[in-house]
Amino acid sequence: MSMITERPVSNSAGQPPVRTTVETSAVTRRDVRAVVSAYVTLTKPRIVELLLVTTVPAMMLADGGMPSLWLVAVVLVGGSLAAGAASVINCYIDRDIDQLMRRTKRRPLPAHTVTPRNALIFGLVLAAVSVAMMAAFTNLLAAGLTLAAIVYYDVVYTLWLKRTTTANTFWGGACGAAPVLIGWAAVTGTLAPAAWALFAVVFFWQMPHFYPLAMKYKDDYARAGIPMLPVVASTRRVNAEIIGFAWLTVASSLAVWPLGMSLIYGVPAVVVGAIFVVEAHKLARRVARGQAVKPMRLFHWSTTYLTILFAAVALDALI
């Protein structure tokens, strides 16, 4: 049977052209892809990358080697669903300010690609599935930490801290560091000092990581009325905090060393930590000299720093 492939033509009554079977099928596929893409965008996949970078090495260190692939898969899938759920609900709550910011106005809710009701339902379903998965296949501590991270991010941070205090990034840092504790708890059912030390690394790291981004987009945050530190404080004050938290990040990473780690971890921790601190100081010097600030250089390097550091954790645990 041959397909109908003629071009659409107007009928004698001057009515609009009728779509062919091929065209209708193509439009349907594009619509489905657009909808699926919109829902995936709501989950903020780049945030899930942080989960992958920190969780698996923490699990390996907790296990003293490589945990079962089944457990790793469960934690990664459950954790990814939890991170996605928190991000979707965050997008639902922040839809009023997202439409005011150039960086976020193309997100699915401000762009009206997804309705707020559907986004909320999607986020709640992801949250329920993630917590249920962690409870069923890991343990109650890991499941409880997963639920707590979602609630803290969306209720405490997004609804309250983000809109009311300049310390929002600091207090919100607990959410980004939670995957370390969740991964450790999934393996052992407890939280050892090394788990808390790794938690501290990611917690303190988020200020020198996020403040440069907030510096670049401070006009956006100001337009939306969000009191991010770069919006309400001087650049000198912001740089002072970046330097301070960079040093705390490196100090926390070195505190992990005596907790069962070897030179395989220690040497990379010292090297990349030194580069991280130097980059933070360079940003401050550029501001002091009146040069172009270029905050995204530190932003991108901070991601590289965390990746290398946790790769060293994984390698040390294996060897």
Side-chain angles (χ1 to χ4, degrees):
M1 179 182 294
S2 62
M3 295 288 287
I4 301 174
T5 57
E6 292 87 3
R7 294 172 179 265
V9 295
S10 299
N11 58 27
S12 58
Q15 294 177 340
V18 178
R19 290 188 182 275
T20 67
T21 302
V22 172
E23 287 177 324
T24 301
S25 176
V27 170
T28 301
R29 287 196 298 270
R30 284 198 298 270
D31 290 345
V32 170
R33 284 197 297 268
V35 171
V36 171
S37 176
Y39 278 96
V40 171
T41 299
L42 284 174
T43 65
K44 300 180 184 177
R46 288 188 177 182
I47 293 180
V48 177
E49 292 175 9
L50 176 63
L51 169 80
L52 302 177
V53 167
T54 60
T55 305
V56 175
M59 294 179 70
M60 294 171 66
L61 183 59
D63 186 77
M66 189 67 197
S68 73
L69 294 180
W70 164 251
L71 181 61
V72 172
V74 167
V75 172
L76 289 183
V77 172
S80 297
L81 291 175
S87 294
V88 172
I89 298 171
N90 167 269
C91 287
Y92 170 80
I93 296 170
D94 277 352
R95 64 191 186 279
D96 59 331
I97 60 176
D98 280 350
Q99 64 186 350
L100 302 175
M101 300 171 61
R102 287 192 298 272
R103 187 170 66 92
T104 58
K105 66 181 181 180
R106 292 186 179 87
R107 287 177 177 173
L109 288 175
H112 306 292
T113 309
V114 177
T115 66
R117 178 178 179 274
N118 287 348
L120 179 60
I121 293 173
F122 180 52
L124 293 174
V125 168
L126 288 180
V129 172
S130 66
V131 175
M133 178 180 291
M134 297 296 286
F137 299 112
T138 61
N139 54 64
L140 292 181
L141 177 58
L145 289 170
T146 300
L147 176 61
I150 296 171
V151 172
Y152 187 93
Y153 182 69
D154 289 320
V155 177
V156 178
Y157 171 72
T158 305
L159 273 176
W160 176 33
L161 296 173
K162 182 176 181 178
R163 301 177 184 232
T164 59
T165 174
T166 58
N168 47 24
T169 303
F170 176 83
W171 294 111
C175 306
V180 171
L181 299 183
I182 295 169
W184 193 286
V187 173
T188 66
T190 61
L191 294 175
W196 288 108
L198 290 176
F199 173 89
V201 171
V202 184
F203 178 81
F204 291 127
W205 166 85
Q206 288 179 90
M207 272 62 72
H209 171 69
F210 182 75
Y211 282 157
L213 183 69
M215 290 171 70
K216 178 177 176 63
Y217 293 104
K218 69 177 183 178
D219 291 340
D220 261 3
Y221 286 113
R223 189 179 302 108
I226 302 300
M228 292 295 178
L229 187 66
V231 174
V232 300
S234 67
T235 306
R236 185 181 297 274
R237 159 75 185 283
V238 176
N239 284 332
E241 293 213 11
I242 287 174
I243 290 172
F245 283 116
W247 277 102
L248 285 172
T249 301
V250 175
S252 299
S253 72
L254 296 179
V256 178
W257 193 349
L259 299 176
M261 310 297 286
S262 71
L263 288 173
I264 295 173
Y265 167 82
V267 172
V270 170
V271 173
V272 295
I275 297 173
F276 187 36
V277 168
V278 167
E279 286 296 329
H281 280 277
K282 282 183 177 179
L283 177 61
R285 284 199 298 270
R286 287 195 294 271
V287 171
R289 295 170 180 172
Q291 299 172 340
V293 178
K294 299 179 181 179
M296 296 304 287
R297 174 172 172 168
L298 178 59
F299 173 82
H300 292 302
W301 169 249
S302 66
T303 302
T304 303
Y305 163 79
L306 196 72
T307 302
I308 295 174
L309 185 74
F310 274 83
V313 172
L315 185 61
D316 197 309
L318 277 178
I319 297 178

